Amino acid sequence: MFQEICAECDCGPCICSYQDLNSYIIGKAGNEFIGIKNLDYENNCFVSTALQALFNTTAFSMILCEECEVNDLCIICLLKKLNEEIIRSKAEKIPMIDFKEYRQNLIRICGEKNFAEGVEGDCFETIELIMTYMHFASKGVFFINEGIINQECEGDCHSHYVCYNLLAEQKSCNCPAKNSTTLSSSFIIRLNSNDFFRPVSSSLINTFTITLNKSLHMKYEKSDMKNYIGSFSEIIQKHLTYDQILDDICEYCKSTYRRSLFLKSSPKIMIFQLDWESKTPKLLNILQVLISLQGIISMSKIFKGDNPIEMGLKGLIVYLNNHYVYFGIGQDSLWYRVDDNLCQTIGLGRWYDVLLLILLTKSIPIGLFYEDSHVSDLSLYKIELLYLEKTVYTSEKNNSNEAGTLENEYKDSINPSSFLCKSTGEIDCINCSEKKQIGQVCSVCQFDPNENDWVCQKCNKINEGMILMCDYCDDVRFKIPINTLDCSCGMQLNFKYCKKCDALTKCQKCKKSICVVQSAFCVKCKKNCRDGYCDGCKTYDMLCRSCRD
């Protein structure tokens, strides 16, 4: 992920050649995207952003290469012409195109209501409208009544071939004859951003905000954000009530009904719209949404059934100060910001740089574009995750909703590992606090940062890699062959953590103190809750591993 290590600052990416965060995050101009001119009075950003997002998907670009009926009122012909000009501009290295003629043609084809000169429209309504007019144009229909969207189709038209979400809602009980199925279709799946949020305790916020950057790597086990990684599919499931038990009871078999949702179509791209209740959401909530995103999503993990389709994230639409901007992955696998005529890499093009820019500018992610057969790398180093987490917690503690620390500590922001690898490449071991080389086994306590699950030497039970004390017998993972450590509470211990001072909670069954380096399980749903709080059941009542099993 990092570039070649710089000899002067002894880390990569190089941080010594930047004077501030803005000069870094602007990135470099590239030829992956061609800008669309947007003068102050034109207000083209809503339609240009929608088109940039669609054109950046392979499936949409490919259908514009197919034959269609030539007609002055055909939106497919218009988009073909625009796509050809973009391709020609790339070849001739022309940085942007004039959109005035295209917008006038959109008015002529789709009407004044949505594309009148100077009108600022809605980006997602524009996508729905474009797809609808493409549907009719591919069937030779060019005069359409306003307000008609999401026409039913067998998937044989241009728009439904590319982006068609045919959902089957099945209501079933133990009587097969009484099962019922309802079909619905859409080009865009709408999600509520509230489904991604969860509260964070004030003690956790305080722990992170008082931690020095050089010691931040030692807080990974207390991190709440790590629990969001890869949770996007699970959150969509809950939003769509994927396998919900209803209150209704069948009058014949007396069993409760179950609601299931199946994807009956095979879309090439999938568009998600995120609805936000607040126009100025907290940075904490924005980061919770972004960390949950997955580079690849599988339809079989979102919908009922065994749909084999997998899709990768291709781009985001963000909203900032009444303005739409597209963040997309170019053919060189780098992230770009496409903001009207501005088309530049975001920093070095890393996913981490995208998160930096969004937090710095307080942009709101409102649209996600996934594409079939595409793979995206949304991985973060642990220290990058912890640094962003500390940033939003600082904002939360100060009640400022500003990511000022990103600019104040711009070198740490560009490369959070810089405060770990200066000169010596040494850090404090997370287990015994002795000096060790980054990524290497500690020579004092034998802690291996790359180890996954481990077997307790005392009880032979298997434990998860991220905990340092056996969940079953309380034996420590690594014995430190040095003098016994003393805790300020008076308790003696031969490992770094004090079971008394760092206890998250007490097991509701055996009353044993559960330490922060062990697993805590909700007494109701038995889910692993590493911060001692279950968001689903809204309870702090926990069980230890032994009592849960």
Side-chain angles (χ1 to χ4, degrees):
M1 185 183 294
F2 282 165
Q3 310 297 310
E4 184 177 350
I5 293 179
C6 169
E8 292 187 33
C9 61
D10 195 30
C11 65
C14 170
I15 60 175
C16 62
S17 57
Y18 300 100
Q19 300 302 315
D20 53 53
L21 186 57
N22 287 327
S23 63
Y24 166 78
I25 209 70
I26 287 175
K28 298 179 180 179
N31 198 39
E32 291 291 312
F33 295 88
I34 299 299
I36 294 177
K37 186 183 293 185
N38 182 24
L39 301 178
D40 290 340
Y41 62 87
E42 290 181 332
N43 289 328
N44 288 329
C45 75
F46 74 99
V47 61
S48 65
T49 300
L51 291 173
Q52 293 280 16
L54 291 172
F55 284 164
N56 195 37
T57 59
T58 303
F60 191 86
S61 298
M62 291 296 291
I63 62 167
L64 297 181
C65 299
E66 296 182 4
E67 294 293 330
C68 70
E69 181 179 342
V70 178
N71 191 297
D72 288 342
L73 293 176
C74 177
I75 194 170
I76 300 175
C77 294
L78 178 64
L79 295 178
K80 274 187 178 183
K81 181 180 177 182
L82 175 59
N83 192 43
E84 289 168 358
E85 183 172 356
I86 289 175
I87 294 173
R88 186 170 60 253
S89 297
K90 285 184 179 181
E92 299 174 2
K93 296 185 177 180
I94 300 173
M96 65 177 173
I97 61 176
D98 193 334
F99 195 68
K100 188 173 183 179
E101 180 183 346
Y102 292 102
R103 183 150 181 175
Q104 290 173 347
N105 284 321
L106 283 172
I107 294 173
R108 185 167 51 82
I109 295 172
C110 303
E112 290 270 355
K113 181 179 178 181
N114 297 282
F115 297 106
E117 188 173 332
V119 170
E120 177 62 63
D122 181 272
C123 185
F124 295 96
E125 289 180 2
T126 300
I127 292 173
E128 293 267 18
L129 199 64
I130 288 173
M131 289 295 189
T132 299
Y133 274 77
M134 286 180 64
H135 162 81
F136 284 109
S138 63
K139 295 181 178 296
V141 179
F142 304 105
F143 297 95
I144 309 165
N145 294 326
E146 290 189 9
I148 298 178
I149 60 173
N150 292 337
Q151 292 299 300
E152 292 187 6
C153 181
E154 297 296 328
D156 55 349
C157 74
H158 286 66
S159 56
H160 286 89
Y161 169 77
V162 172
C163 182
Y164 183 34
N165 304 306
L166 180 61
L167 303 180
E169 179 184 332
Q170 186 180 85
K171 183 179 177 182
S172 59
C173 63
N174 292 337
C175 305
K178 299 298 179 182
N179 293 348
S180 62
T181 301
T182 304
L183 296 177
S184 62
S185 63
S186 67
F187 292 120
I188 298 173
I189 295 178
R190 289 172 172 81
L191 306 174
N192 192 325
S193 61
N194 288 343
D195 294 335
F196 294 81
F197 305 161
R198 59 179 279 179
V200 178
S201 66
S202 57
S203 60
L204 182 62
I205 291 175
N206 187 61
T207 297
F208 268 79
T209 53
I210 64 175
T211 300
L212 298 177
N213 287 346
K214 66 179 182 180
S215 303
L216 197 56
H217 65 282
M218 302 172 67
K219 299 299 179 183
Y220 186 73
E221 297 194 15
K222 292 190 176 182
S223 167
D224 181 63
M225 285 295 171
K226 71 176 184 294
N227 299 318
Y228 283 85
I229 297 174
S231 61
F232 184 64
S233 295
E234 180 183 350
I235 292 171
I236 298 177
Q237 273 189 4
K238 292 180 180 179
H239 178 84
L240 298 175
T241 55
Y242 156 92
D243 205 7
Q244 180 186 28
I245 298 177
L246 305 177
D247 294 332
D248 298 348
I249 297 177
C250 176
E251 60 179 310
Y252 299 98
C253 66
K254 306 303 180 184
S255 66
T256 55
Y257 283 104
R258 183 179 293 274
R259 176 186 181 272
S260 301
L261 204 61
F262 297 81
L263 179 64
K264 293 295 185 180
S265 56
S266 300
K268 301 297 181 290
I269 64 175
M270 188 166 280
I271 305 171
F272 297 96
Q273 180 181 356
L274 287 171
D275 294 325
W276 297 75
E277 291 182 1
S278 173
K279 293 183 179 180
T280 55
K282 295 181 178 180
L283 295 182
L284 170 62
N285 296 145
I286 292 175
L287 186 60
Q288 287 174 332
V289 171
L290 294 171
I291 295 300
S292 74
L293 299 184
Q294 295 168 271
I296 301 176
I297 57 175
S298 174
M299 297 301 104
S300 62
K301 293 184 178 180
I302 297 176
F303 301 98
K304 194 76 171 178
D306 55 356
N307 194 317
I309 296 176
E310 290 187 340
M311 294 190 174
L313 183 65
K314 198 64 183 288
L316 310 170
I317 290 179
V318 301
Y319 194 64
L320 174 64
N321 295 331
N322 298 319
H323 184 65
Y324 294 98
V325 181
Y326 177 63
F327 293 169
I329 300 178
Q331 292 184 357
D332 55 5
S333 299
L334 300 180
W335 280 91
Y336 286 79
R337 174 175 56 171
V338 186
D339 185 356
D340 295 334
N341 61 302
L342 177 68
C343 302
Q344 294 176 308
T345 59
I346 302 174
L348 294 176
R350 304 171 295 171
W351 173 240
Y352 171 73
D353 295 327
V354 175
L355 304 188
L356 270 185
L357 178 58
I358 289 177
L359 293 180
L360 185 65
T361 58
K362 294 181 288 188
S363 301
I364 308 173
I366 58 172
L368 311 172
F369 284 72
Y370 279 85
E371 181 175 24
D372 188 18
S373 302
H374 176 73
V375 178
S376 300
D377 180 12
L378 303 188
S379 60
L380 295 172
Y381 284 115
K382 289 181 180 179
I383 193 63
E384 293 173 338
L385 176 68
L386 294 171
Y387 186 74
L388 295 175
E389 188 168 5
K390 179 184 176 182
T391 298
V392 297
Y393 288 166
T394 301
S395 168
E396 195 75 6
K397 184 176 181 179
N398 297 336
N399 198 27
S400 64
N401 209 36
E402 297 284 346
T405 54
L406 293 179
E407 294 182 277
N408 297 335
E409 304 171 348
Y410 73 92
K411 290 188 176 182
D412 290 348
S413 300
I414 294 172
N415 183 3
S417 67
S418 62
F419 43 75
L420 298 181
C421 57
K422 291 174 182 175
S423 302
T424 63
E426 288 185 337
I427 59 173
D428 293 336
C429 175
I430 193 174
N431 182 58
C432 70
S433 298
E434 294 297 316
K435 294 294 182 182
K436 64 177 286 292
Q437 293 291 315
I438 296 174
Q440 301 299 313
V441 176
C442 177
S443 60
V444 177
C445 70
Q446 304 306 309
F447 172 73
D448 184 353
N450 301 309
E451 185 177 10
N452 294 318
D453 294 348
W454 57 282
V455 178
C456 175
Q457 297 298 313
K458 184 177 180 181
C459 67
N460 292 322
K461 295 289 184 67
I462 297 176
N463 291 272
E464 294 181 22
M466 64 177 63
I467 65 173
L468 298 177
M469 185 192 301
C470 179
D471 274 337
Y472 301 92
C473 69
D474 293 349
D475 194 35
V476 294
R477 183 175 179 181
F478 303 100
K479 301 296 190 298
I480 304 175
I482 55 178
N483 295 333
T484 301
L485 304 176
D486 292 317
C487 177
S488 59
C489 71
M491 184 176 182
Q492 288 191 333
L493 57 158
N494 66 338
F495 59 102
K496 183 180 175 184
Y497 299 95
C498 175
K499 287 185 285 186
K500 178 180 178 182
C501 296
D502 285 339
L504 274 172
T505 182
K506 286 187 177 181
C507 175
Q508 293 295 300
K509 188 173 181 180
C510 68
K511 305 304 179 184
K512 180 192 78 172
S513 293
I514 302 174
C515 179
V516 293
V517 293
Q518 293 175 292
S519 301
F521 299 90
C522 174
V523 72
K524 295 181 180 179
C525 67
K526 306 300 189 293
K527 178 183 176 183
N528 194 343
C529 306
R530 296 199 173 276
D531 58 356
Y533 176 77
C534 180
D535 182 53
C537 301
K538 309 297 182 186
T539 180
Y540 288 94
D541 294 339
M542 297 289 130
L543 295 174
C544 66
R545 168 82 70 172
S546 298
C547 291
R548 188 207 70 162
D549 295 343

